[in-house]
Amino acid sequence: MDEQARGELEAKRAEVVAQMEQLSAPVQDQGSISFGKRVGDGTAMAVDRLTAVSAHDNLQGLLAEIDTALAALEDGGYGRCRVCGERIPEGRLEARPWATTCVRHG
């Protein structure tokens, strides 16, 4: 199970890093953003950028969870809740291999 979990965690980590790099890539058409009385391209660009920043922040949180789970694999704590120490149910680990807490503490 540990090697399977490690493979899944490393694959998910690579996927998240790739998504973060894509979100961080410079936009080809920077243009200037202006806000007038009508909703226009500037407003749409600003909303797109805010959405990208939010998505990047969410991915950073997920990356931290994955790294914590990988560290737990190294120290032998993988599969145990970091709050109460109880075993994390297999179903939860199958759905979220990066889970470091049981459902009650998650």
Side-chain angles (χ1 to χ4, degrees):
M1 175 63 184
D2 284 356
E3 287 309 310
Q4 179 183 352
R6 182 181 312 283
E8 290 174 7
L9 288 168
E10 289 174 351
K12 185 65 173 179
R13 187 179 198 291
E15 176 187 328
V16 169
V17 168
Q19 289 175 348
M20 290 174 68
E21 288 172 354
Q22 186 176 21
L23 286 171
S24 298
V27 179
Q28 295 301 324
D29 180 22
Q30 289 292 322
S32 63
I33 297 178
S34 61
F35 298 92
K37 293 183 181 183
R38 291 186 255 160
V39 175
D41 290 338
T43 304
M45 285 173 59
V47 169
D48 287 346
R49 289 181 189 170
L50 288 172
T51 301
V53 167
S54 178
H56 192 273
D57 289 348
N58 290 338
L59 289 170
Q60 278 184 315
L62 178 56
L63 186 60
E65 290 178 37
I66 293 167
D67 286 342
T68 300
L70 283 167
L73 270 170
E74 292 299 317
D75 68 21
Y78 183 77
R80 294 219 169 263
C81 177
R82 63 185 167 96
V83 176
C84 67
E86 294 293 319
R87 294 270 327 140
I88 298 172
E90 283 296 316
R92 179 165 173 78
L93 289 174
E94 286 176 18
R96 293 176 48 111
W98 54 88
T100 57
T101 57
C102 63
V103 175
R104 184 172 47 139
H105 292 110

